Amino acid sequence: MNAPHQDVSLLRRLYTGESVQQARRAVDGLQPGEPPIPEAAWPAQQRLEARVLLGLLEFRNIYTCYPLGVTAVHPEPDGIALRVESEERAAEFLFNLLPAYSPGQEVHGVPGLRITRRYRTAIELRVLGEPTRLRLTGLPARLWRRAEARTLAWWTDPNTMQLCWRCSPRAWTDAESEHHAQWEDDNDHFVQVQQRGAWLASGFLRRAALLHTVANTFLLDGYRGAAFDVTRLVLRSSHVHEQGPGPHNILAALADPTFGLPLHLTRFRGDTDESYGRDQQFVLEDPGKTAVLDLRATAEGAPSHLSPELWQAILRRLPDAGFSKRLSPSALAGLCSLGTP
């Protein structure tokens, strides 16, 4: 591998967390003009990935060593693979994503999503009838089976639930079709706003390893909304105080013209010296004004609900260095012409 290709591979690894071999194969397979981290090929794939990220953010109830429970991502034009950290996280992913329905309530999970293939160390999920693909990897087949069984135990009374993914593995249920028609109508203005901005959550998921490769993030949650006809993705991140590179490294990586996203910083609030541990807020927008990324970062010590063993494991996996083309907090503030509040 020549030097430029090696540099591209090493940079891609920061964004994805892939192995050296995976990153090299991906870069070697690039056609002239193709970006090193490809976008989703179809809007349906973007929407699925946006929904996956939202599930990881909003329904998190397990805290492990990695912020999202994902140790690496492998993005391809026609799909994405997520390497899941543990059986606990795998069960959480399946519980939040696979559709279930209780009479009188909305469908829980992603309508139409099914487990369509099983591998020795992975499972593949697709939305029936759509060109989408999500692979969950990192565990042997027996642990994926156990993770599926654990999702059933999380329902208070599974006998009253219609587990769509189990009772109708090859077709949408009536409940899923009705839910989709009511809440995901392409003619609805709110749905159109979310569809236009789905690229942001999809693009962030394809770069999710930045949270633990260039910054000292240990927890992440958030939500998605809309304001002024723009999709708004709010991420709330917790960072280890005075250990490892801070959250501004994530912003510097996202702003990279080759590997990042088409975003520009419009607002920065917080102390420009991260050693003080002040809260920081970074707001980024795209030129087309379809989406806003609102990253709210807090530097703090070990939360009381984390075991000492888990906290020490988090500290051991913190990166030693940040993003190679870093922007300091003071430089970020200067870009926005904002002073310290």
Side-chain angles (χ1 to χ4, degrees):
M1 175 178 290
N2 59 37
H5 268 62
Q6 185 173 3
D7 292 343
V8 172
S9 299
L10 293 177
L11 272 173
R12 175 170 162 133
R13 290 190 67 211
L14 288 180
Y15 287 80
T16 65
E18 295 166 306
S19 67
V20 173
Q21 292 79 9
Q22 281 182 312
R24 285 180 177 175
R25 284 197 298 267
V27 171
D28 288 343
L30 292 175
Q31 299 298 316
E34 283 189 324
I37 299 179
E39 299 178 0
W42 303 286
Q45 183 70 32
Q46 281 189 346
R47 293 195 293 269
L48 174 61
E49 293 175 15
R51 178 60 183 80
V52 169
L53 179 65
L54 190 66
L56 299 181
L57 295 173
E58 287 193 335
F59 301 103
R60 183 189 62 192
N61 51 42
I62 295 173
Y63 300 100
T64 50
C65 193
Y66 290 81
L68 290 175
V70 174
T71 63
V73 301
H74 181 63
E76 297 178 332
D78 62 343
I80 190 170
L82 307 180
R83 190 163 72 221
V84 181
E85 179 183 358
S86 64
E87 181 188 337
E88 279 186 310
R89 286 289 199 172
E92 182 188 46
F93 285 13
L94 296 178
F95 179 80
N96 292 328
L97 293 175
L98 292 174
Y101 173 72
S102 181
Q105 299 182 14
E106 297 179 11
V107 171
H108 171 96
V110 180
L113 189 68
R114 301 292 189 271
I115 299 174
T116 54
R117 295 189 67 179
R118 300 178 186 276
Y119 302 87
R120 289 175 56 191
T121 59
I123 58 175
E124 183 172 287
L125 298 92
R126 290 179 179 267
V127 176
L128 298 176
E130 295 187 356
T132 59
R133 183 167 62 86
L134 167 67
R135 295 181 71 233
L136 300 178
T137 72
L139 300 175
R142 63 181 180 82
L143 293 188
W144 284 115
R145 293 282 188 184
R146 279 175 37 178
E148 290 177 52
R150 291 177 68 162
T151 65
L152 303 180
W154 284 357
W155 294 107
T156 54
D157 186 3
N159 293 325
T160 66
M161 299 294 298
Q162 182 185 30
L163 303 179
C164 308
W165 56 285
R166 287 172 64 88
C167 69
S168 183
R170 293 180 176 83
W172 288 51
T173 63
D174 291 341
E176 292 173 287
S177 298
E178 292 172 6
H179 177 98
H180 189 273
Q182 180 177 1
W183 298 107
E184 300 182 39
D185 181 1
D186 290 343
N187 295 317
D188 181 82
H189 179 69
F190 179 79
V191 172
Q192 292 173 352
V193 170
Q194 296 298 342
Q195 289 179 351
R196 285 198 302 268
W199 64 268
L200 175 58
S202 170
F204 190 89
L205 183 66
R206 287 169 172 250
R207 295 160 175 80
L210 289 174
L211 295 167
H212 61 262
T213 60
V214 303
N216 54 1
T217 318
F218 65 89
L219 292 177
L220 185 79
D221 64 12
Y223 56 92
R224 182 188 64 183
F228 307 108
D229 290 339
V230 174
T231 297
R232 189 175 192 88
L233 179 62
V234 179
L235 304 179
R236 298 177 296 206
S237 59
S238 298
H239 299 263
V240 182
H241 184 47
E242 294 185 329
Q243 293 193 56
H248 62 279
N249 288 275
I250 299 174
L251 272 294
L254 291 177
D256 184 83
T258 303
F259 286 85
L261 294 170
L263 296 167
H264 61 273
L265 190 69
T266 59
R267 188 175 190 182
F268 169 72
R269 296 188 66 186
D271 201 299
T272 55
D273 186 346
E274 291 189 327
S275 65
Y276 287 121
R278 291 277 300 276
D279 292 351
Q280 295 178 319
Q281 181 185 26
F282 309 87
V283 178
L284 301 95
E285 299 179 0
D286 71 300
K289 299 190 181 301
T290 62
V292 171
L293 175 63
D294 184 344
L295 175 63
R296 305 172 186 180
T298 302
E300 53 189 322
S304 59
H305 59 272
L306 293 186
S307 68
E309 295 79 13
L310 176 55
W311 184 246
Q312 289 303 313
I314 290 173
L315 294 181
R316 286 194 296 271
R317 68 118 180 100
L318 292 181
D320 295 325
F323 188 63
S324 58
K325 303 174 184 177
R326 57 177 280 173
L327 295 173
S328 69
S330 56
L332 290 171
L335 288 175
C336 296
S337 299
L338 293 174
T340 302

